[in-house]
Amino acid sequence: IPLLFEKNINKIVDLTICVYSTSEQQLNRLVKRDSINEELALKIISSQINIEDKAKKSDYVIQNTSNIEELRDKIDQFITKYL
């Protein structure tokens, strides 16, 4: 949920998970995924709380600083360990 903390929805869920990437990765991925320019991407990102703050507020953080295969492995590990 993109605005989980901003809208205080985190109060009604059992567990919060932040899929973390650096600010630079977040920007580059958003530009590529949505085929938008950097200015619009920065505007979208600035409407959300900082990724570092999201990570601190989350119950669990999954690092997404590599590739999709590594992310899938980390998600599988999380599911095996916690669910």
Side-chain angles (χ1 to χ4, degrees):
I1 301 173
L3 299 175
L4 179 76
F5 296 110
E6 293 85 345
K7 300 289 185 181
N8 289 317
I9 300 169
N10 59 306
K11 307 272 191 241
I12 63 169
V13 298
D14 294 329
L15 179 71
T16 56
I17 303 167
C18 175
V19 179
Y20 176 90
S21 62
T22 66
S23 297
E24 183 179 347
Q25 288 172 319
Q26 186 181 21
L27 175 62
N28 293 335
R29 290 172 178 172
L30 180 58
V31 166
K32 184 177 179 180
R33 184 195 71 199
D34 291 1
S35 299
I36 59 176
N37 64 40
E38 195 170 294
E39 183 179 344
L40 179 55
L42 285 168
K43 185 176 180 179
I44 292 168
I45 291 169
S46 70
S47 72
Q48 302 174 12
I49 66 169
N50 180 285
I51 189 70
E52 302 295 333
D53 292 334
K54 281 184 196 177
K56 289 176 189 171
K57 290 182 177 203
S58 296
D59 298 310
Y60 192 85
V61 178
I62 296 175
Q63 295 291 325
N64 182 20
T65 54
S66 186
N67 58 49
I68 191 70
E69 291 81 19
E70 188 174 312
L71 176 60
R72 286 186 180 127
D73 288 344
K74 290 178 180 180
I75 292 170
D76 287 343
Q77 291 170 13
F78 173 83
I79 290 170
T80 300
K81 186 172 182 178
Y82 294 103
L83 301 181

